[in-house]
Amino acid sequence: METPDSDTKLQNQLIINSSPKKQKWCGHEFLYEFNGFWFTKTYLETTQEMVETFKPLPTDIILASFPKTGTTWLKALLYSITHRSPQDDAVLSLNHPQELIPSLETNLYPRKRAQASVDEFLHEKEGRILSTHAPHQILRDLLNSCDCKIVYITRNPKDTLVSLWHFLQKLEGVGDDPWELEAAVDQFCDGVVPFGPYYDHVLAYREESLARPHKVLFVTYEELKENPRVHVRRLGEFLGCPFGGGDGDEEVEKIVKMCSFEVLSKQEVNKSSELSGSGFPLPYNAFFRRGEVGDHLRYLGDEMIRKIDHLTTLKFYGCGFHYGI
Ligand code: PAP
């Protein structure tokens, strides 16, 4: 996953940060602490590079999320909501959502030096949709530097963790040193997972959405599942491309269906076990597993659930956010 080049750069950052904390994670990976959050070596480098050089535009839409909370789904939705002409209809059946909307730290910054096309993408003026898993605490100045719109999706912590745990089983090299579920629960609760702590990540974007509702829209995976039509309309309005009545209802219906787990996960491109061009050493199909609310009940024992719920009560309920249990 890492390159010799990233090693050198990391060394320099480690010197600047004096003594960053480092913790063993899963497989052969370590995580490094930066401004209170944990990153793999690659993400530490690319996130720092992005913070130093990325210039959002007022016309940008930034999809922000903690990993495994519904990013792929929201990518499909944002793309469809903002591209509604008949010739756009086939795009989702031919392209993986992760490739339609690039991730700043996964796709754009690691290759920025090497790929002219990426530079070109970053210099596009209108209608860019970009995603990031970076926490608001680290991006605050950058995101507040212009009037770009931010859509943040979150998902209940137990399903998020279970989804992350499954995803990482598919990562090359993890098989030699499996990430046991007990260890995953402990590390998740300690916040030592990529882009963690999860709770701090969610709360900062939520706070920002309450303070600046015209700039940040906060949506949960569960509410999107429960009533996708309402939230597709809400997204359209927030992004300045509302749906009317009549034809609007049909358009909403079409988008909800096109982006549903049932339809997307059956597209050939999304079923493919080829290595994806998403920047992860993972196949295309790794982004579609079960797509359900409450899947954690199949995997987490009572004690694990108690531990996560206890933390959720302290962190979320303690802040008046009654979510995640
Ligand atoms: P990422 O952070 O690596 O981009 P992300 O897309 O946020 O991953 O999360 C993947 C989860 O979203 C998977 O959940 P699961 O492991 O619990 O199954 C995946 O199945 C789910 N997912 C992908 N597409 C959809 C969709 N269209 N509707 C609902 N869930 C989806």
Side-chain angles (χ1 to χ4, degrees), residues 246-260:
D247 285 357
D249 286 340
E250 272 171 41
E251 277 185 305
V252 168
E253 200 57 46
K254 190 169 91 181
I255 290 172
V256 166
K257 190 160 177 222
M258 236 165 29
C259 299
S260 67

Side-chain angles (χ1 to χ4, degrees), residues 49-177:
E49 189 175 344
M50 167 177 97
V51 170
E52 281 160 24
T53 58
F54 176 57
K55 303 253 177 305
L57 301 169
T59 48
D60 283 349
I61 299 168
I62 310 283
L63 187 180
S65 61
F66 187 82
K68 314 323 291 178
T69 55
T71 322
T72 311
W73 187 13
L74 193 55
K75 283 187 178 189
L77 287 169
L78 291 182
Y79 187 88
S80 312
I81 291 169
T82 54
H83 296 77
R84 292 193 217 152
S85 65
Q87 61 268 33
D88 291 319
D89 282 1
V91 175
L92 267 185
S93 57
L94 299 172
N95 299 274
H96 195 287
Q98 292 284 351
E99 292 179 338
L100 288 175
I101 298 184
S103 152
L104 282 160
E105 65 276 354
T106 307
N107 306 115
L108 297 178
Y109 279 91
R111 301 189 212 161
K112 189 168 175 287
R113 284 163 301 231
Q115 283 194 8
S117 61
V118 169
D119 280 342
E120 216 171 274
F121 187 90
L122 282 170
H123 285 110
E124 258 179 47
K125 289 289 177 240
E126 296 278 321
R128 299 190 309 189
I129 312 179
L130 303 158
S131 76
T132 183
H133 286 322
H136 192 267
Q137 289 87 336
I138 287 176
L139 298 184
R140 182 175 288 116
D141 290 348
L142 188 153
L143 294 174
N144 288 342
S145 67
C146 81
D147 282 336
C148 60
K149 298 258 185 199
I150 300 154
V151 180
Y152 185 80
I153 185 160
T154 194
R155 185 178 192 185
N156 82 71
K158 290 168 285 188
D159 286 346
T160 301
L161 166 67
V162 165
S163 183
L164 179 68
W165 179 70
H166 278 284
F167 187 70
L168 288 163
Q169 310 297 317
K170 296 173 188 148
L171 201 64
E172 273 172 19
V174 169
D176 318 341
D177 183 6

